[in-house]
Amino acid sequence: EAGVTQFPSHSVIEKGQTVTLRCDPISGHDNLYWYRRVMGKEIKFLLHFVKESKQDESGMPNNRFLAERTGGTYSTLKVQPAELEDSGVYFCASSQDLIVGYTFGSGTRLTVV
Amino acid sequence: RKEVEQDPGPFNVPEGATVAFNCTYSNSASQSFFWYRQDCRKEPKLLMSVYSSGNEDGRFTAQLNRASQYISLLIRDSKLSDSATYLCVVETGRRALTFGSGTRLQVQP
């Protein structure tokens, strides 16, 4: 079974630019989550999709972040315009049932300079 | 106060040692509990779920005390490959996970 795939693995952009991160969940997983870890901090929840619907976006830091999951398959997370404090590792995860826990992707390491 | 508190370590132990990690959580409405393992610059990977009755998976034993809001992980007969950061993770019913900052374990030969 293919795991959760994230692209790109690394991205370095200048402040003010736009970056789009992509996540392909495990096939058949209705639940898709975005998390991020900024330097020196714990991993924090951003949002949760059930199929194509946003179930919970309470962790999104501000309106510079936009997540979509058209068709309920892959998801994108766009940061526009990027700020220095957006640097960190963005993880995507998917699950069919929380009882068995999530599977995380390997993350996108975003550096804003 | 953080929602999930862990001792950051590092715990430096010799091979073959037994080591225990503890974690406390603040939200009494928390419903599901997990230990994840994260290797350096890698993604978190589920190690085991934690149940009130306690559960064991090989050399790993997890315990949950709901009254004290306390979770533990015991690793017996430590291997070099156990060196990693161990994340205490709690789910509060919204299906979102709350992570502790992790406890670093270094097993030495």
Side-chain angles (χ1 to χ4, degrees):
Chain A
E1 172 183 80
V4 177
T5 305
Q6 291 188 246
F7 182 84
S9 57
H10 293 80
S11 180
V12 180
I13 61 170
E14 293 184 350
K15 177 182 172 181
Q17 288 187 322
T18 297
V19 63
T20 300
L21 314 181
R22 173 170 168 144
C23 169
D24 286 76
I26 292 173
S27 178
H29 281 192
D30 291 338
N31 296 283
L32 186 149
Y33 312 82
W34 284 98
Y35 286 78
R36 78 171 176 179
R37 184 172 211 159
V38 296
M39 181 72 76
K41 301 282 189 181
E42 58 271 17
I43 297 170
K44 292 276 195 184
F45 168 79
L46 296 179
L47 89 158
H48 170 209
F49 283 99
V50 177
K51 296 184 179 178
E52 67 274 12
S53 300
K54 290 177 186 174
Q55 184 75 12
D56 181 353
E57 52 185 330
S58 61
M60 294 287 262
N62 51 61
N63 59 11
R64 295 185 293 103
F65 289 75
L66 175 64
E68 295 180 324
R69 192 183 182 194
T70 307
T73 54
Y74 71 90
S75 174
T76 57
L77 179 64
K78 182 162 71 173
V79 185
Q80 180 182 30
E83 299 289 344
L84 299 179
E85 65 265 25
D86 300 332
S87 296
V89 183
Y90 289 76
F91 290 107
C92 176
S94 73
S95 74
Q96 189 54 34
D97 184 338
L98 184 63
I99 298 299
V100 296
Y102 295 7
T103 300
F104 281 83
S106 55
T108 294
R109 187 170 297 274
L110 174 66
T111 304
V112 183
V113 298
Chain B
R1 183 186 172 191
K2 290 183 179 179
E3 290 185 63
V4 179
E5 298 257 20
Q6 292 182 253
D7 180 344
F11 284 61
N12 294 302
V13 302
E15 273 187 287
T18 295
V19 61
F21 304 139
N22 303 319
C23 164
T24 57
Y25 60 95
S26 61
N27 189 336
S28 58
S30 299
Q31 298 185 2
S32 301
F33 308 88
F34 307 93
W35 283 101
Y36 276 75
R37 170 193 170 128
Q38 187 173 26
D39 293 285
C40 188
R41 300 179 79 85
K42 298 285 189 180
E43 71 275 19
K45 291 187 177 178
L46 179 66
L47 180 64
M48 57 198 307
S49 302
V50 189
Y51 306 113
S52 296
S53 55
N55 48 303
E56 186 174 311
D57 182 3
R59 297 181 294 109
F60 299 83
T61 301
Q63 293 277 357
L64 166 65
N65 184 322
R66 284 188 183 270
S68 302
Q69 295 181 200
Y70 169 96
I71 305 160
S72 66
L73 176 68
L74 182 77
I75 305 175
R76 289 180 299 279
D77 188 23
S78 300
K79 311 289 185 193
L80 294 175
S81 56
D82 294 334
S83 297
T85 296
Y86 290 82
L87 302 168
C88 178
V89 183
V90 172
E91 186 267 334
T92 55
R94 296 183 300 123
R95 297 190 72 106
L97 299 181
T98 301
F99 284 78
S101 54
T103 299
R104 195 154 61 89
L105 171 67
Q106 184 66 48
V107 181
Q108 295 165 338

